[in-house]
């Protein structure tokens, strides 16, 4: 089933922010906003829920710290204990101050790499994926606001022109 959407183009991020606030105040649902760069505060203006990705970052860091601790205990204490720099290898706790840099590095390594993988999977980005961008200008210098039309085309067009849109197009959307 095909439905209609209106694409409003803006050439300034401040004008876009004011437009999003006016459209939300008029009780219209903004389907998506495409921007060439991140616009600070746009997620709050659109009313998007906060992300929980920081929680996963903490959990991935904990996994990295656990792997580092277990790895160093096995390698340096159980499997092949060595007297390095006068530090005896009787227990992990006695040697832990020397292992802090390794624990820190593996915590950051696991958090960073697993966060990138999580972001790509969550965003459904993978190699050779076709772009979902409706207009290539939004990767250069234009901002696009997409709103579904529900028998309110004239009202939406007038509202968007009032908000400072430089171009307005009606497009057919295909439902998947």
């Amino acid at each position: 089933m095909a439905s209609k959407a209106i694409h409003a183009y803006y050439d300034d991020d401040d004008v876009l922010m004011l437009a999003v606030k006016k459209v939300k105040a008029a009780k219209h649902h903004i389907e998506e906003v495409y921007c060439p760069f991140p616009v600070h505060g746009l997620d709050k203006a659109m009313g998007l829920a906060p992300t929980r990705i920081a929680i996963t970052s903490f959990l991935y860091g904990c996994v990295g710290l656990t792997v580092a601790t277990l790895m160093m205990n096995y390698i340096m204490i159980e499997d092949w204990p060595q007297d390095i720099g006068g530090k005896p290898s009787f227990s992990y706790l006695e040697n832990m101050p020397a292992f802090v840099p390794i624990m820190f590095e593996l915590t950051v390594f696991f958090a960073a790499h697993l966060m990138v993988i999580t972001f790509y999977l969550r965003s459904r980005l993978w190699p050779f994926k076709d772009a979902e961008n409706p207009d290539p200008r939004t990767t250069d210098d234009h901002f696009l606001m997409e709103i579904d039309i529900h028998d309110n085309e004239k009202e939406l067009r007038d509202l968007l022109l009032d908000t400072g849109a430089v171009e307005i197009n009606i497009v057919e959307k295909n439902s998947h």
Side-chain angles (χ1 to χ4, degrees), residues 50-98:
T51 180
R52 296 183 306 260
I53 204 155
I55 297 168
T56 62
S57 178
F58 174 75
L59 294 175
Y60 294 153
C62 290
V63 168
L65 182 63
T66 303
V67 167
T69 302
L70 294 174
M71 179 189 75
M72 289 180 300
N73 184 55
Y74 176 73
I75 292 171
M76 299 299 291
I77 306 301
E78 294 176 19
D79 185 43
W80 195 312
Q82 298 178 35
D83 187 355
I84 300 173
K87 296 181 179 80
S89 300
F90 300 128
S91 74
Y92 180 81
L93 288 177
E94 288 177 329
N95 290 298
M96 197 177 74

Side-chain angles (χ1 to χ4, degrees):
M1 179 177 152
S3 61
K4 285 185 175 182
I6 192 163
H7 286 177
Y9 293 84
Y10 297 88
D11 57 4
D12 185 73
D13 56 331
D14 293 329
V15 175
L16 172 75
M17 281 294 290
L18 292 173
V20 166
K21 290 175 183 174
K22 286 181 183 178
V23 168
K24 292 301 278 185
K27 304 285 191 240
H28 294 289
H29 174 69
I30 299 171
E31 199 61 37
E32 188 66 74
V33 175
Y34 299 90
C35 303
F37 54 84
V39 178
H40 180 71
L42 185 60
D43 52 342
K44 286 185 179 62
M46 287 180 62
L48 299 177
T51 180
R52 296 183 306 260
I53 204 155
I55 297 168
T56 62
S57 178
F58 174 75
L59 294 175
Y60 294 153
C62 290
V63 168
L65 182 63
T66 303
V67 167
T69 302
L70 294 174
M71 179 189 75
M72 289 180 300
N73 184 55
Y74 176 73
I75 292 171
M76 299 299 291
I77 306 301
E78 294 176 19
D79 185 43
W80 195 312
Q82 298 178 35
D83 187 355
I84 300 173
K87 296 181 179 80
S89 300
F90 300 128
S91 74
Y92 180 81
L93 288 177
E94 288 177 329
N95 290 298
M96 197 177 74
F99 296 153
V100 167
I102 300 168
M103 294 187 305
F104 172 76
E105 291 299 332
L106 281 179
T107 300
V108 171
F109 179 86
F110 271 68
H113 286 79
L114 292 175
M115 282 300 297
V116 168
I117 293 168
T118 300
F119 173 75
Y120 283 145
L121 292 174
R122 181 70 179 95
S123 301
R124 300 176 195 263
L125 293 173
W126 38 79
F128 311 111
K129 182 177 190 262
D130 290 333
E132 296 176 5
N133 206 356
D135 191 326
R137 293 180 292 174
T138 60
T139 63
D140 186 23
D141 62 348
H142 278 73
F143 304 85
L144 184 145
M145 184 189 315
E146 181 179 88
I147 305 170
D148 286 341
I149 297 174
H150 303 289
D151 298 326
N152 56 355
E153 183 177 332
K154 173 98 172 83
E155 174 193 348
L156 270 174
R157 182 182 288 275
D158 292 342
L159 174 64
L160 293 170
L161 283 173
D162 186 48
T163 62
V166 293
E167 181 181 334
I168 296 176
N169 297 328
I170 307 298
V171 296
E172 291 288 329
K173 275 181 54 173
N174 291 325
S175 302
H176 293 51

